[in-house]
Amino acid sequence: MSKRRIAVYPGSFDPIHNGHLDIIHRCRPLFDEIIVAVLSNDEKQALFTVDERVAMIGEEIANCSECRVESFSGLLVDFADKVGAGTIVRGLRAVSDFEYEFQMALMNRRLNDHIDTVFLMPNEEYIYLSSRLVKEVFFMGGNLKGLVPPEVLDELLQAVDRRAAQRAGQ
Ligand code: ADP
């Protein structure tokens, strides 16, 4: 039997948006198993908790039988090794992503030469999309239709309510 091709798709996913989902969709013909891995090192800056992000992603990949979501902390190559993944998938949007991604890919290869990084490009309509921009546009009242799934839009609305309640309680 040939070896299962397992990929890890890591990121902050705060929150997941259609650019991320486009990349996950592009992974499907390439891998037997796709593990979306939510980095949990940096919770303080995030809008959503790691558990909330994992739950949102779980909902969006529910129809993909070969996809699952997990959170991880520490070195990505250690997580990839633990789950038996031979590939790290990253999305490349623009030239501006390249330098950082290039550094990370080479550092990860130095840390573990058995794991390679592959880059996939999203549909052009998502090339400018980032979680940071999603949050900025949302908090300024912009229309995010077609850029995030409807469930994520609901979660953003709830996050606003939570913030307002927190402020009122202060
Ligand atoms: P980071 O890892 O910088 O926190 P994100 O969580 O936003 O990044 O994204 C996780 C992965 O998805 C990264 O590989 C990132 O390049 C990729 N990605 C983010 N936004 C898009 C997009 N609009 N199209 C394609 N790939 C994207």
Side-chain angles (χ1 to χ4, degrees), residues 1-158:
M1 209 175 83
S2 64
K3 198 165 174 274
R4 279 175 67 72
R5 296 162 305 167
I6 304 173
V8 168
Y9 178 37
S12 311
F13 303 102
D14 183 45
I16 188 162
H17 55 62
N18 288 354
H20 296 131
L21 290 169
D22 180 289
I23 297 293
I24 294 170
H25 185 67
R26 284 171 203 281
C27 285
R28 294 189 66 180
L30 304 175
F31 301 101
D32 301 309
E33 195 176 331
I34 302 146
I35 302 163
V36 183
V38 181
L39 179 64
S40 70
N41 291 356
D42 185 21
E43 185 134 337
K44 263 181 258 147
Q45 311 261 327
L47 176 62
F48 294 102
T49 65
V50 170
D51 288 345
E52 286 167 341
R53 284 179 263 162
V54 166
M56 277 187 269
I57 295 167
E59 201 172 352
E60 299 309 323
I61 62 174
N63 290 332
C64 170
S65 56
E66 69 274 31
C67 300
R68 66 187 162 94
V69 56
E70 277 190 36
S71 62
F72 77 102
S73 56
L75 284 177
L76 173 60
V77 286
D78 291 345
F79 175 76
D81 206 33
K82 191 184 87 182
V83 296
T87 309
I88 294 166
V89 172
R90 296 287 289 173
L92 260 196
R93 284 162 289 193
V95 183
S96 52
D97 278 343
F98 180 78
E99 192 165 348
Y100 174 71
E101 293 295 341
F102 182 72
Q103 285 176 0
M104 283 301 298
L106 292 183
M107 177 54 84
N108 283 332
R109 184 192 283 169
R110 189 189 166 95
L111 294 170
N112 186 333
D113 200 16
H114 301 292
I115 300 171
D116 258 313
T117 304
V118 304
F119 296 97
L120 296 175
M121 273 164 244
N123 189 300
E124 308 85 80
E125 66 180 307
Y126 304 128
I127 213 96
Y128 59 90
L129 191 58
S130 67
S131 297
R132 184 180 56 78
L133 208 53
V134 162
K135 287 178 277 191
E136 277 180 23
V137 170
F138 178 78
F139 284 113
M140 287 190 237
N143 186 351
L144 289 171
K145 196 160 180 283
L147 299 178
V148 297
E151 301 78 18
V152 171
L153 209 47
D154 284 349
E155 291 294 333
L156 282 162
L157 288 165
Q158 287 177 35

